[in-house]
Amino acid sequence: NAKGYAGGGNDVNGAGPGGATGTANPCTGQGGPGGSYGGSGGAGGAGYRTVGVTYGSLPQPTDLGSGGTGGDGNCTTGGPGGAGGGAVKLTVSGTLTVNGTLSANGAAGTTGTWGGGGGGSGGAIWISAGTFAGTGAINANGGSGGTTTGGTAGGGGAGGRLALTYTTKTHSGALTAYGGTAPTNAGGAGTLFTKAASATNGDLVVDNNNVTGAQTPQTASTTWAVDNLTVKNAAHFVIPSGATFTVATALTGTTTNAALTNNATLSLPNTTLSDFTLTNNGTLTLANAATLTSVTLTNNGTLTWPNTVTLTGGTFYHNGTISNAATLNLTLGSGATMEVQNTDATTALGLASLTIQSGGNLTHKANAAPTILHLSISGSLDLQTGGTINLNAKGYAGGGNDVNG
């Protein structure tokens, strides 16, 4: 723990590839950003330094964790940032048994009279074992953001990177790379990569312990391939433009506030999402089976569905293109709303068929002229009892006090 890059002192950026950047020195008691690594560090106070980038290998991490940035203080009394976690590589041809604790956690940022220090990021743990056994915990968590008696608190450090490869696994202990907590801006989740010898690519889990914090962006311009991707417990995984991410088997997303944002090209063979946020700003293909329950889905890019889709609960914001719209049979089930944001009197959304079941709703974006709801259905539109096409109060906005509508 805390054996990585050093945290910064008053008005000093944390060291390491994921330390904050910039030289802004407003002397207004702003908290320092947390260090980044597997995820992004939590932001500091407004106008004070820029959170560092994610870095390092997903399957073979060896980089140290980055330090948090010191608080801005009134140029004199900001809390120092926490140091990042260290790094360990263990190669055990026989049996690795962990019943104790193996950790590379970042240190907490220090409380500042004016501006708390940012937490250090978690470090790296890379294990290769024949048999992986035991019940002990393995952690690469970010340090918490420092509190403050005046000004703003520091950001939490990001989670680090865990990578575990093995022939046989009986280990049942906790494996965590959580972002550090903070009074305002928690750190983003790190990455947990596991691969059995029999697997093709291995699996990635992004988990932030139900703490809503910063994002977990794939390292810029890298190529990652996994068999299964799981994003859960308030983590937010981001695939940036210019990166390549391949999922061979399935995406699973669960729990409120967990999210995936795609800014590149992504194909998902099988998708099971519940209480999840999925945003597509690039090209997204949901192939084969797609089960979406209480999902907030925003399409600003190009989306390809299976030809038959049922949405249950949640909201689908459509502001892009559906490449297979002409063959799409869409059902809005109970609790599901679809808001169309980019059709007008001359541009329609074409579908093969649309069914709106009891509790389902279709609408368009409010106060967004020339947007109207314009559909072209080649087959049937079935508005069932209890289903709605509801455009109430979706026109021009009313005025406020002494303001015309």
Side-chain angles (χ1 to χ4, degrees), residues 344-380:
D344 55 31
T346 58
T347 303
L349 172 62
L351 297 171
S353 71
L354 176 63
T355 300
I356 305 175
Q357 298 176 340
S358 178
N361 180 49
L362 179 66
T363 188
H364 70 67
K365 187 176 181 179
N367 188 27
T371 297
I372 66 169
L373 181 61
H374 185 181
L375 302 180
S376 177
I377 310 293
S378 61
S380 61

Short mmCIF file of all heavy atoms in Angstrom, two decimals, residues 344-380:
data_model
loop_
_atom_site.label_atom_id
_atom_site.label_comp_id
_atom_site.label_asym_id
_atom_site.label_seq_id
_atom_site.Cartn_x
_atom_site.Cartn_y
_atom_site.Cartn_z
N ASP A 344 -38.71 14.62 -38.26
CA ASP A 344 -39.48 15.84 -38.50
C ASP A 344 -40.52 15.54 -39.58
O ASP A 344 -40.77 14.38 -39.91
CB ASP A 344 -38.57 17.01 -38.88
CG ASP A 344 -37.67 16.72 -40.08
OD1 ASP A 344 -38.08 15.93 -40.97
OD2 ASP A 344 -36.56 17.27 -40.14
N ALA A 345 -41.12 16.58 -40.14
CA ALA A 345 -42.22 16.38 -41.08
C ALA A 345 -41.78 15.65 -42.35
O ALA A 345 -42.59 15.00 -43.02
CB ALA A 345 -42.86 17.72 -41.44
N THR A 346 -40.49 15.72 -42.69
CA THR A 346 -40.01 15.07 -43.91
C THR A 346 -39.13 13.86 -43.64
O THR A 346 -38.91 13.05 -44.54
CB THR A 346 -39.22 16.07 -44.78
OG1 THR A 346 -38.12 16.59 -44.02
CG2 THR A 346 -40.13 17.21 -45.22
N THR A 347 -38.62 13.71 -42.44
CA THR A 347 -37.73 12.59 -42.10
C THR A 347 -38.42 11.69 -41.10
O THR A 347 -38.76 12.11 -40.00
CB THR A 347 -36.41 13.10 -41.50
OG1 THR A 347 -35.78 13.99 -42.42
CG2 THR A 347 -35.48 11.94 -41.20
N ALA A 348 -38.62 10.43 -41.50
CA ALA A 348 -39.34 9.48 -40.66
C ALA A 348 -38.40 8.40 -40.13
O ALA A 348 -37.35 8.11 -40.72
CB ALA A 348 -40.48 8.84 -41.44
N LEU A 349 -38.78 7.78 -39.03
CA LEU A 349 -38.14 6.56 -38.55
C LEU A 349 -38.95 5.39 -39.10
O LEU A 349 -40.12 5.24 -38.78
CB LEU A 349 -38.12 6.52 -37.02
CG LEU A 349 -37.64 5.19 -36.40
CD1 LEU A 349 -36.20 4.89 -36.78
CD2 LEU A 349 -37.81 5.22 -34.88
N GLY A 350 -38.32 4.58 -39.94
CA GLY A 350 -39.01 3.44 -40.53
C GLY A 350 -38.78 2.18 -39.72
O GLY A 350 -37.66 1.89 -39.30
N LEU A 351 -39.83 1.43 -39.46
CA LEU A 351 -39.76 0.17 -38.73
C LEU A 351 -40.58 -0.88 -39.45
O LEU A 351 -41.54 -0.55 -40.18
CB LEU A 351 -40.30 0.34 -37.30
CG LEU A 351 -39.57 1.30 -36.37
CD1 LEU A 351 -40.37 1.51 -35.09
CD2 LEU A 351 -38.17 0.80 -36.05
N ALA A 352 -40.25 -2.15 -39.24
CA ALA A 352 -41.07 -3.22 -39.80
C ALA A 352 -42.39 -3.32 -39.04
O ALA A 352 -43.46 -3.44 -39.65
CB ALA A 352 -40.32 -4.55 -39.75
N SER A 353 -42.32 -3.27 -37.71
CA SER A 353 -43.54 -3.27 -36.91
C SER A 353 -43.24 -2.66 -35.56
O SER A 353 -42.09 -2.65 -35.09
CB SER A 353 -44.11 -4.68 -36.74
OG SER A 353 -43.30 -5.45 -35.89
N LEU A 354 -44.30 -2.15 -34.93
CA LEU A 354 -44.18 -1.56 -33.60
C LEU A 354 -45.37 -1.98 -32.77
O LEU A 354 -46.52 -1.82 -33.19
CB LEU A 354 -44.12 -0.04 -33.68
CG LEU A 354 -44.10 0.73 -32.35
CD1 LEU A 354 -42.85 0.37 -31.54
CD2 LEU A 354 -44.19 2.23 -32.58
N THR A 355 -45.11 -2.54 -31.57
CA THR A 355 -46.15 -2.90 -30.62
C THR A 355 -45.91 -2.14 -29.33
O THR A 355 -44.80 -2.15 -28.78
CB THR A 355 -46.12 -4.41 -30.34
OG1 THR A 355 -46.33 -5.13 -31.55
CG2 THR A 355 -47.21 -4.79 -29.34
N ILE A 356 -46.97 -1.47 -28.87
CA ILE A 356 -46.88 -0.74 -27.61
C ILE A 356 -47.84 -1.42 -26.64
O ILE A 356 -49.06 -1.29 -26.77
CB ILE A 356 -47.21 0.75 -27.78
CG1 ILE A 356 -46.33 1.37 -28.87
CG2 ILE A 356 -47.04 1.49 -26.46
CD1 ILE A 356 -46.67 2.81 -29.21
N GLN A 357 -47.27 -2.15 -25.69
CA GLN A 357 -48.08 -2.90 -24.75
C GLN A 357 -48.55 -2.02 -23.60
O GLN A 357 -48.14 -0.86 -23.47
CB GLN A 357 -47.28 -4.09 -24.21
CG GLN A 357 -46.87 -5.09 -25.28
CD GLN A 357 -46.00 -6.20 -24.74
OE1 GLN A 357 -45.38 -6.08 -23.68
NE2 GLN A 357 -45.91 -7.31 -25.48
N SER A 358 -49.41 -2.56 -22.74
CA SER A 358 -49.90 -1.82 -21.59
C SER A 358 -48.72 -1.33 -20.75
O SER A 358 -47.84 -2.10 -20.37
CB SER A 358 -50.80 -2.72 -20.74
OG SER A 358 -51.25 -2.02 -19.59
N GLY A 359 -48.70 -0.04 -20.47
CA GLY A 359 -47.61 0.56 -19.70
C GLY A 359 -46.46 1.05 -20.55
O GLY A 359 -45.56 1.71 -20.04
N GLY A 360 -46.46 0.73 -21.85
CA GLY A 360 -45.45 1.25 -22.76
C GLY A 360 -45.82 2.61 -23.29
O GLY A 360 -47.01 2.96 -23.35
N ASN A 361 -44.85 3.41 -23.70
CA ASN A 361 -45.14 4.76 -24.16
C ASN A 361 -44.18 5.18 -25.25
O ASN A 361 -42.98 4.88 -25.20
CB ASN A 361 -45.02 5.75 -22.99
CG ASN A 361 -45.30 7.18 -23.41
OD1 ASN A 361 -46.30 7.45 -24.05
ND2 ASN A 361 -44.43 8.11 -23.05
N LEU A 362 -44.70 5.89 -26.25
CA LEU A 362 -43.92 6.46 -27.35
C LEU A 362 -44.13 7.96 -27.36
O LEU A 362 -45.27 8.44 -27.25
CB LEU A 362 -44.35 5.85 -28.68
CG LEU A 362 -43.64 6.35 -29.94
CD1 LEU A 362 -42.17 5.98 -29.93
CD2 LEU A 362 -44.32 5.79 -31.19
N THR A 363 -43.04 8.72 -27.53
CA THR A 363 -43.16 10.17 -27.52
C THR A 363 -42.02 10.78 -28.34
O THR A 363 -41.23 10.07 -28.96
CB THR A 363 -43.13 10.71 -26.07
OG1 THR A 363 -43.45 12.11 -26.08
CG2 THR A 363 -41.77 10.49 -25.42
N HIS A 364 -41.97 12.12 -28.39
CA HIS A 364 -40.82 12.80 -28.98
C HIS A 364 -40.26 13.80 -27.99
O HIS A 364 -40.87 14.09 -26.95
CB HIS A 364 -41.16 13.46 -30.33
CG HIS A 364 -42.08 14.66 -30.26
ND1 HIS A 364 -41.73 15.86 -29.68
CD2 HIS A 364 -43.34 14.85 -30.73
CE1 HIS A 364 -42.71 16.73 -29.78
NE2 HIS A 364 -43.71 16.15 -30.42
N LYS A 365 -39.09 14.32 -28.31
CA LYS A 365 -38.41 15.26 -27.43
C LYS A 365 -39.23 16.54 -27.30
O LYS A 365 -39.82 17.03 -28.26
CB LYS A 365 -37.03 15.58 -27.99
CG LYS A 365 -36.15 16.42 -27.09
CD LYS A 365 -34.76 16.59 -27.70
CE LYS A 365 -33.86 17.41 -26.80
NZ LYS A 365 -32.50 17.57 -27.39
N ALA A 366 -39.26 17.11 -26.10
CA ALA A 366 -40.05 18.31 -25.84
C ALA A 366 -39.35 19.56 -26.35
O ALA A 366 -38.12 19.66 -26.35
CB ALA A 366 -40.30 18.44 -24.34
N ASN A 367 -40.15 20.52 -26.81
CA ASN A 367 -39.68 21.87 -27.13
C ASN A 367 -38.46 21.83 -28.04
O ASN A 367 -37.44 22.47 -27.79
CB ASN A 367 -39.34 22.63 -25.84
CG ASN A 367 -39.04 24.10 -26.10
OD1 ASN A 367 -39.52 24.67 -27.07
ND2 ASN A 367 -38.22 24.69 -25.25
N ALA A 368 -38.54 21.03 -29.12
CA ALA A 368 -37.38 20.80 -29.98
C ALA A 368 -37.74 20.94 -31.45
O ALA A 368 -37.33 20.15 -32.29
CB ALA A 368 -36.79 19.42 -29.73
N ALA A 369 -38.54 21.97 -31.77
CA ALA A 369 -38.92 22.19 -33.17
C ALA A 369 -37.68 22.26 -34.05
O ALA A 369 -36.65 22.81 -33.64
CB ALA A 369 -39.72 23.49 -33.31
N PRO A 370 -37.69 21.63 -35.26
CA PRO A 370 -38.86 21.09 -35.95
C PRO A 370 -39.16 19.63 -35.66
O PRO A 370 -39.86 18.97 -36.42
CB PRO A 370 -38.46 21.26 -37.42
CG PRO A 370 -36.97 21.00 -37.42
CD PRO A 370 -36.48 21.61 -36.13
N THR A 371 -38.65 19.08 -34.54
CA THR A 371 -38.90 17.68 -34.24
C THR A 371 -40.38 17.40 -34.01
O THR A 371 -41.05 18.11 -33.26
CB THR A 371 -38.12 17.25 -32.98
OG1 THR A 371 -36.72 17.38 -33.23
CG2 THR A 371 -38.43 15.82 -32.59
N ILE A 372 -40.88 16.37 -34.70
CA ILE A 372 -42.19 15.80 -34.41
C ILE A 372 -42.00 14.28 -34.41
O ILE A 372 -40.94 13.77 -34.78
CB ILE A 372 -43.25 16.19 -35.46
CG1 ILE A 372 -42.92 15.57 -36.83
CG2 ILE A 372 -43.38 17.71 -35.57
CD1 ILE A 372 -44.06 15.69 -37.84
N LEU A 373 -43.01 13.56 -33.99
CA LEU A 373 -42.97 12.11 -34.06
C LEU A 373 -43.44 11.69 -35.44
O LEU A 373 -44.61 11.89 -35.80
CB LEU A 373 -43.85 11.49 -32.98
CG LEU A 373 -43.88 9.96 -32.93
CD1 LEU A 373 -42.49 9.41 -32.66
CD2 LEU A 373 -44.87 9.48 -31.89
N HIS A 374 -42.55 11.13 -36.24
CA HIS A 374 -42.86 10.73 -37.61
C HIS A 374 -42.35 9.31 -37.83
O HIS A 374 -41.14 9.07 -37.86
CB HIS A 374 -42.21 11.71 -38.60
CG HIS A 374 -42.56 11.45 -40.03
ND1 HIS A 374 -42.05 12.22 -41.07
CD2 HIS A 374 -43.37 10.53 -40.62
CE1 HIS A 374 -42.52 11.76 -42.22
NE2 HIS A 374 -43.32 10.74 -41.96
N LEU A 375 -43.27 8.37 -37.94
CA LEU A 375 -42.94 6.97 -38.14
C LEU A 375 -43.45 6.49 -39.49
O LEU A 375 -44.51 6.93 -39.96
CB LEU A 375 -43.56 6.09 -37.05
CG LEU A 375 -43.19 6.40 -35.60
CD1 LEU A 375 -43.92 5.43 -34.68
CD2 LEU A 375 -41.69 6.31 -35.39
N SER A 376 -42.73 5.57 -40.09
CA SER A 376 -43.16 4.90 -41.30
C SER A 376 -43.05 3.40 -41.05
O SER A 376 -41.95 2.86 -40.95
CB SER A 376 -42.29 5.32 -42.50
OG SER A 376 -42.68 4.61 -43.67
N ILE A 377 -44.20 2.73 -40.89
CA ILE A 377 -44.25 1.32 -40.50
C ILE A 377 -44.62 0.49 -41.73
O ILE A 377 -45.71 0.65 -42.29
CB ILE A 377 -45.27 1.08 -39.38
CG1 ILE A 377 -45.06 2.08 -38.23
CG2 ILE A 377 -45.20 -0.36 -38.91
CD1 ILE A 377 -43.79 1.92 -37.48
N SER A 378 -43.74 -0.40 -42.14
CA SER A 378 -44.03 -1.22 -43.32
C SER A 378 -45.02 -2.34 -43.01
O SER A 378 -45.74 -2.81 -43.90
CB SER A 378 -42.74 -1.83 -43.88
OG SER A 378 -42.11 -2.66 -42.93
N GLY A 379 -45.08 -2.75 -41.73
CA GLY A 379 -46.00 -3.80 -41.34
C GLY A 379 -47.13 -3.25 -40.51
O GLY A 379 -47.97 -2.49 -41.01
N SER A 380 -47.16 -3.58 -39.22
CA SER A 380 -48.27 -3.18 -38.36
C SER A 380 -47.80 -2.35 -37.18
O SER A 380 -46.69 -2.51 -36.70
CB SER A 380 -49.02 -4.41 -37.84
OG SER A 380 -48.15 -5.22 -37.07
#
